Amino acid sequence: MRPGLKFLYHIRLGSVHMYTQALDSCGTEPPSVAPAGEAERERQFQERIDRDEKIEPKDWMPDAYRQTLIRQIAQHAHSEIIGMLPEGNWITRAPSLRRKAVLIAKVQDEGGHGMYLYSAAETLGVSRGELMAQLLAGRAKYSSIFNYPTLTWADIGAIGWLVDGAAIMNQIPLCRCSYGPYARAMVRICKEESFHQRQGYEIMLTLARSGTRAQREMAQDALDRWWWPSLMMFGPSDVESGHTAQSMRWRIKRFTNDELRQKFIDATVPQARFLGLSIPDPDLRWDEASQHYASGPIDWGEFQAVLKGEGPCNRERLAARRAAHESGRWVREAAAAYADKHSDHRTGTGPAPGYAQAS
Ligand code: FAQ
């Protein structure tokens, strides 16, 4: 085995153990494989889903279910990794040591989320290296929101409040997703996102409620620029969403895109009021009949353009990610060499492991 492959193998085993408790307890035969044909298998699979049983990596699953999960989890993982960039941009310019420490911790958490999610995707039979190659080649999607620039410090507050807020609204139901490894990864991710949202709201509070006039204006300007892209994070409207119906049947998604968007609007409007800021939507009003806020139309043309790579920062984000991947090459190679040496030692054919030998 080539050293690099060996290293990947170690990582995969390590990560698989974290999120696939059922892996070792299953026998060699997938438990849900029925002797009957494909249609019968699918019927039994759907029954398990309807009983709210978790599907585990070694269980039989329809190929389309597997591919849907790989697609969604990979896009989610990429979003976390690319999502480090807009905020990472402000670490050196955070206005105090405390703000800097908090922001570093937050950005590091997002990197960790990406790693859990790549691990969850690996349980479906795709390697992290493969997914990363797709991202770097520009063949993979990640959330549209991360193609917008962070122009002022208030943007860091707006991202935590709105972007992490939208992420939580979308991801809490994913803790009940039918696929076990994804659902379990989401539990910790949601706890951390909740901290992220509070830190963002606290920045907004400081600027908008106890800041100077210029700081209040900066907070309003950030809300003006991030509001509509945050609503787009929930995906196309239900009539345009190609995957929602099937993903709901499989209980990968528990709510539709529009349902989650509405929940987010309902939760966020009062928060904006408390900040003394106005939502940049002239059509926004409380609708007594539905007991929800009614809002104006979303510019889906802008959403589609961002998805096609024409957002303000698409090129910059991919270029930054490619450069980071390249500059991390020596770390991957050193880790692979170390793992290789360690594994030779365990089989009695190499030197004892230790940083002294590795350096
Ligand atoms: N951006 O039929 P649907 C975060 C694509 S994490 C780009 O509705 P689906 C943490 C969609 O993939 C944010 N593409 O699809 C953080 C599909 O493309 P395909 C990410 C989008 O899967 C905070 C096509 O459009 N969260 O923020 C977007 O049923 C702060 C048709 O759409 C997740 O990934 C979009 N906004 O529903 C990090 C959560 N929306 O594959 C750093 C998990 C849709 O056919 C700082 N994902 N598309 O080519 C999901 O819940 C779902 O995948 C949806 C989309 C709801 C995003």
Side-chain angles (χ1 to χ4, degrees):
M1 195 185 282
R2 282 193 297 125
L5 286 181
K6 242 182 214 171
F7 179 58
L8 271 180
Y9 186 61
H10 285 298
I11 290 178
R12 286 188 69 167
L13 281 185
S15 55
V16 157
H17 275 287
M18 273 177 76
Y19 293 113
T20 60
Q21 285 94 321
L23 254 190
D24 297 334
S25 58
C26 295
T28 46
E29 278 301 306
S32 61
V33 171
E38 196 77 359
E40 176 59 15
R41 279 185 182 184
E42 291 205 9
R43 194 187 60 73
Q44 289 183 10
F45 176 82
Q46 189 61 48
E47 275 178 8
R48 291 190 65 196
I49 299 267
D50 296 343
R51 284 196 300 269
D52 253 342
E53 280 180 30
K54 287 276 178 274
I55 307 301
E56 299 297 342
K58 280 192 165 185
D59 294 351
W60 183 87
M61 61 185 84
D63 194 50
Y65 176 84
R66 184 185 299 278
Q67 294 312 324
T68 295
L69 280 166
I70 291 176
R71 178 186 65 77
Q72 177 167 325
I73 300 173
Q75 289 175 2
H76 192 167
H78 298 328
S79 303
E80 301 279 359
I81 298 297
I82 297 281
M84 297 168 80
L85 297 170
E87 288 170 292
N89 197 29
W90 275 87
I91 289 174
T92 53
R93 290 175 285 165
S96 69
L97 185 58
R98 174 174 166 266
R99 293 287 186 206
K100 198 186 286 278
V102 171
L103 187 58
I104 289 173
K106 180 191 190 290
V107 172
Q108 183 174 298
D109 283 352
E110 308 298 1
H113 298 173
M115 295 305 119
Y116 312 149
L117 289 164
Y118 286 126
S119 298
E122 285 189 311
T123 65
L124 292 155
V126 61
S127 77
R128 184 182 307 186
E130 221 173 300
L131 296 177
M132 190 52 73
Q134 288 170 7
L135 175 67
L136 297 178
R139 284 187 280 112
K141 283 202 171 86
Y142 58 85
S143 184
S144 49
I145 192 77
F146 302 117
N147 292 305
Y148 291 85
T150 39
L151 303 179
T152 70
W153 172 249
D155 288 14
I156 303 307
I159 289 182
W161 171 36
L162 299 174
V163 176
D164 285 279
I168 295 170
M169 196 58 88
N170 165 274
Q171 291 172 18
I172 292 280
L174 291 175
C175 299
R176 293 188 294 122
C177 159
S178 59
Y179 188 58
Y182 192 24
R184 289 190 288 274
M186 291 317 300
V187 174
R188 176 167 173 179
I189 292 179
C190 284
K191 287 187 179 158
E192 292 179 349
E193 298 292 23
S194 163
F195 152 71
H196 298 167
Q197 196 209 13
R198 282 152 208 246
Q199 69 84 36
Y201 195 69
E202 201 249 338
I203 292 175
M204 294 302 273
L205 265 177
T206 308
L207 295 173
R209 293 276 300 241
S210 43
T212 62
R213 184 193 168 97
Q215 286 171 323
R216 277 197 299 280
E217 284 171 5
M218 192 163 77
Q220 180 64 56
D221 172 61
L223 171 56
D224 291 348
R225 283 181 292 105
W226 289 92
W227 176 252
W228 292 105
S230 297
L231 297 188
M232 293 173 197
M233 282 179 74
F234 294 93
S237 70
D238 292 353
V239 279
E240 297 293 329
S241 165
H243 300 299
T244 294
Q246 183 58 64
S247 288
M248 298 272 287
R249 272 194 291 281
W250 279 329
R251 300 195 182 178
I252 294 172
K253 287 168 90 163
R254 297 276 179 162
F255 296 95
T256 70
N257 299 354
D258 286 338
E259 284 168 350
L260 290 172
R261 195 172 3 252
Q262 185 65 54
K263 279 173 185 280
F264 174 75
I265 294 172
D266 290 345
T268 311
V269 172
Q271 295 167 358
R273 295 242 163 88
F274 187 76
L275 291 171
L277 301 178
S278 39
I279 302 279
D281 178 355
D283 297 326
L284 189 77
R285 61 176 176 84
W286 176 250
D287 180 49
E288 202 53 46
S290 66
Q291 292 289 298
H292 291 293
Y293 283 97
S295 48
I298 291 174
D299 181 353
W300 292 115
E302 175 180 324
F303 175 71
Q304 291 303 338
V306 173
L307 258 57
K308 270 195 266 156
E310 294 157 14
C313 299
N314 293 60
R315 284 176 194 80
E316 187 184 327
R317 298 291 181 241
L318 265 192
R321 190 55 241 156
R322 285 180 186 130
H325 192 74
E326 202 42 49
S327 64
R329 180 178 297 282
W330 70 271
V331 179
R332 292 190 297 279
E333 286 173 359
Y338 177 74
D340 196 32
K341 205 180 256 188
H342 187 61
S343 116
D344 283 351
H345 166 70
R346 286 210 305 216
T347 54
T349 57
Y355 288 100
Q357 283 95 345
S359 60

